[in-house]
Structure formats: C-alpha cells, structure tokens
Amino acid sequence: MTDTYPPADDRLRQLLAQEINLSVDTWKLAAWIADGIVKSPEIRAELERIGTAHAAGEPCGDRHCQPCWDARLATPAP
C-alpha cells in the first residue's frame, strides 16, 4: 500500500478525471471520460512522442507545452 494519491498505477486517469470533473455533473462521468482518454492509442502515442522529445532535450512542437514555450523565450547564456 502506498500513501501517495493518486496511485502511480492509475495516476494519469485520476488526474484527467479531476480536471474533467470541473466541467461535468458527476465524478462517475469524469472518470469514464478520463478512462477513454487514457486507453486511446493515439493519445498514448502522442504522450510518448512528447516525452521522448523532452527527454532528448528537444522541443515537442505542441503549441500548448509550457516548458517548450518557456525555453523558446529564454535568453541564451553568453
């Protein structure tokens, strides 16, 4: 048993459901939507692509990626 919440083995679905829950009527609906997102092969592939780019120190190309945006605006060290 772990003391962290959400648990690592279901963290992505739980975090998505928490965000979705702000816009829907029930937690059950939010969890159902999040489950579909997590199980989507296209979304999983995109998450992997972004993670691989970031791990290599490259921009991921996603216009909503705050770390990539910050890096683009950072002034290079002399």
Side-chain angles (χ1 to χ4, degrees):
M1 183 75 182
T2 179
D3 292 337
T4 60
Y5 182 82
D9 64 343
D10 199 27
R11 185 170 175 75
L12 180 58
R13 187 179 75 86
Q14 290 291 322
L15 292 172
L16 287 167
Q18 287 174 10
E19 286 297 313
I20 294 166
N21 195 42
L22 300 173
S23 302
V24 298
D25 291 334
T26 67
W27 174 255
K28 186 175 180 179
L29 177 58
W32 181 78
I33 293 168
D35 192 56
I37 292 169
V38 169
K39 291 178 180 175
S40 167
E42 293 86 5
I43 292 173
R44 298 299 289 206
E46 182 62 7
L47 288 171
E48 183 68 26
R49 184 194 68 75
I50 290 169
T52 299
H54 286 173
E58 299 292 326
C60 67
D62 186 315
R63 73 176 78 177
H64 302 289
C65 180
Q66 192 63 47
C68 289
W69 179 258
D70 293 343
R72 186 179 306 149
L73 295 178
T75 304

